[in-house]
C-alpha cells in the first residue's frame, strides 16, 4: 500500500509545485512506483512534467464520475500523474454532499496498492480540495521560503491540520517543514530558520535538514516539461532535492 504524501502551504510562491515534481521524479528514479496528484486548479504540476492539461481528462472528470480514474492517469518519464485544470476551481461550490471530505480518498482507493508513493500537490488555499488531501494522506510536508509571511501561512495551517486529525484522519502526520529558495548567507534566512523550528515543534514535527538552494534552472525547468532533477541534475537545487527525497523516505518509515 502506498504512502500518501501531501505538500501544502496556503501561501503561494513557496516552491510547493517544484518540490512536488522533484519528489515525484526523485522517488521514481530510485525505482519506486509513484503517482502524482495535481489538486491545484492551476494545473501547474502536470504542466511542469510535460502534460497537456487542456486537451485531456483530468481529476475533475474523475471526481464527477465522468471518466474512470484509470483513463485519467498519464504516464511520464518521471512518474504517473493525475492532471488537473481550471475546472477543478468549482469544487467548493459543486461538491456539497455529505462526506465530501472523503472524495479524494475514495477515488484513490482502487489504485493505492498499485503504487509505493502517492504525492499530492495542493492549491495555495485552505479549502475543500486541501482538506481532501489531508484526509487522504498519512504525511504532510510544508514547503516555505525564508520570509515572515510564509511563516504566518504555516501558523494558520496548524489549526486546519488539528481539525482534520480530530474529525477525519487521526493518522495524519506533519513529517517536516521544507525551506526552499534558501540562502544561508542572509540574516533573514537564519532568523526564519529558527522560527520555523519553533513552529515545527508546535506541529510535533521538524525542519528538514536539507534546505533547497535557489537557482535560475528551477524557474526554467517547467517550461521544458521536466522537474529540476531531470532538467538540471547537476545543479545545486537538484542535489538538494535528491537529499530531501532520501530524508522523506526515512521520515515515512518512522510514522
Amino acid at each position: 500500500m502506498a504512502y500518501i504524501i501531501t505538500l501544502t502551504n496556503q501561501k503561494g510562491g513557496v516552491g510547493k509545485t517544484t518540490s512536488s515534481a522533484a519528489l515525484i521524479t526523485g522517488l521514481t528514479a530510485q525505482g519506486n512506483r509513484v503517482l502524482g496528484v495535481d489538486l491545484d486548479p492551476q494545473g501547474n504540476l502536470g504542466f511542469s512534467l510535460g502534460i497537456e492539461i487542456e486537451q485531456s481528462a483530468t481529476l475533475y472528470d474523475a471526481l464527477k464520475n465522468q471518466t474512470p480514474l484509470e483513463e485519467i492517469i498519464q504516464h511520464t518519464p518521471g512518474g504517473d500523474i493525475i492532471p488537473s485544470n481550471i475546472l477543478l476551481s468549482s469544487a467548493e461550490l459543486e461538491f456539497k454532499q455529505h462526506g465530501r471530505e472523503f472524495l479524494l480518498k475514495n477515488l484513490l482507493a482502487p489504485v493505492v496498492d498499485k503504487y509505493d508513493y502517492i504525492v499530492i500537490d495542493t492549491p495555495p488555499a485552505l479549502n475543500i480540495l486541501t482538506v481532501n488531501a489531508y484526509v487522504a494522506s498519512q504525511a504532510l510536508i510544508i514547503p516555505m521560503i525564508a520570509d515572515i509571511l510564509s511563516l504566518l501561512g504555516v501558523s494558520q495551517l496548524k489549526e486546519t491540520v488539528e481539525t482534520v486529525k480530530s474529525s477525519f484522519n487521526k493518522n495524519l502526520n506533519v513529517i517536516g517543514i521544507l525551506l526552499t529558495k534558501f540562502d544561508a548567507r542572509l540574516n533573514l534566512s537564519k532568523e526564519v530558520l529558527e522560527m520555523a523550528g519553533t513552529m515545527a515543534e508546535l506541529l510535533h514535527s521538524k525542519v528538514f535538514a536539507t534546505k533547497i538552494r535557489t537557482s535560475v534552472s528551477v524557474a526554467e525547468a517547467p517550461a521544458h516539461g521536466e522537474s529540476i532533477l531531470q532538467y538540471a541534475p547537476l545543479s545545486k537545487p537538484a542535489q538538494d532535492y535528491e537529499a530531501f527525497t532520501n530524508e522523506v523516505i526515512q521520515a515515512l518509515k518512522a510514522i
Side-chain angles (χ1 to χ4, degrees):
M1 180 175 290
Y3 287 108
I4 303 181
I5 312 155
T6 286
L7 283 84
T8 181
N9 193 324
Q10 71 183 73
K11 187 178 187 302
V14 297
K16 182 168 50 59
T17 298
T18 296
S19 299
S20 297
L23 182 58
I24 290 164
T25 55
L27 290 167
T28 299
Q30 294 192 24
N32 297 293
R33 300 167 300 167
V34 185
L35 174 65
V37 181
D38 194 347
L39 207 60
D40 187 345
Q42 296 179 73
N44 289 339
L45 179 63
F47 176 82
S48 297
L49 293 175
I51 291 175
E52 172 51 66
I53 62 174
E54 298 302 333
Q55 303 300 323
S56 59
T58 66
L59 177 61
Y60 175 80
D61 299 298
L63 290 172
K64 294 280 288 183
N65 294 316
Q66 295 174 345
T67 307
L69 182 63
E70 291 77 7
E71 295 181 18
I72 289 172
I73 296 173
Q74 296 198 33
H75 309 289
T76 79
D80 290 353
I81 302 295
I82 296 175
S84 176
N85 62 23
I86 196 62
L87 291 174
L88 193 60
S89 62
S90 66
E92 196 78 38
L93 296 175
E94 284 198 53
F95 301 125
K96 295 286 191 180
Q97 67 268 41
H98 177 72
R100 66 180 186 151
E101 297 85 1
F102 293 88
L103 284 171
L104 182 63
K105 181 176 182 177
N106 293 338
L107 184 70
L108 294 175
V111 300
V112 165
D113 290 331
K114 298 180 181 179
Y115 293 95
D116 300 305
Y117 298 93
I118 297 175
V119 178
I120 303 172
D121 185 27
T122 55
L126 294 177
N127 57 20
I128 190 60
L129 294 173
T130 305
V131 169
N132 262 264
Y134 292 5
V135 171
S137 301
Q138 297 110 320
L140 295 185
I141 295 170
I142 305 173
M144 61 170 284
I145 58 177
D147 71 22
I148 300 302
L149 293 179
S150 184
L151 195 64
L152 286 174
V154 176
S155 175
Q156 293 161 351
L157 182 147
K158 178 177 180 290
E159 184 177 338
T160 303
V161 171
E162 291 175 347
T163 298
V164 170
K165 285 193 72 168
S166 62
S167 302
F168 305 112
N169 180 11
K170 65 180 181 179
N171 297 317
L172 184 64
N173 298 275
V174 179
I175 62 170
I177 294 174
L178 174 66
L179 287 169
T180 65
K181 305 178 185 179
F182 191 77
D183 188 342
R185 298 169 298 180
L186 301 178
N187 287 333
L188 178 60
S189 295
K190 297 172 185 176
E191 292 170 7
V192 171
L193 174 57
E194 183 177 338
M195 289 186 283
T198 301
M199 183 58 60
E201 290 180 10
L202 294 175
L203 291 164
H204 308 290
S205 185
K206 64 177 183 180
V207 178
F208 284 105
T210 304
K211 315 296 185 294
I212 310 301
R213 290 167 287 182
T214 190
S215 166
V216 67
S217 56
V218 173
E220 294 172 345
H224 295 266
E226 295 180 319
S227 78
I228 184 63
L229 294 179
Q230 299 164 307
Y231 176 69
L234 299 181
S235 66
K236 291 179 179 178
Q239 296 169 14
D240 297 337
Y241 275 120
E242 287 180 352
F244 164 65
T245 298
N246 290 327
E247 271 200 86
V248 170
I249 291 172
Q250 294 305 313
L252 291 172
K253 291 178 180 178
I255 64 174

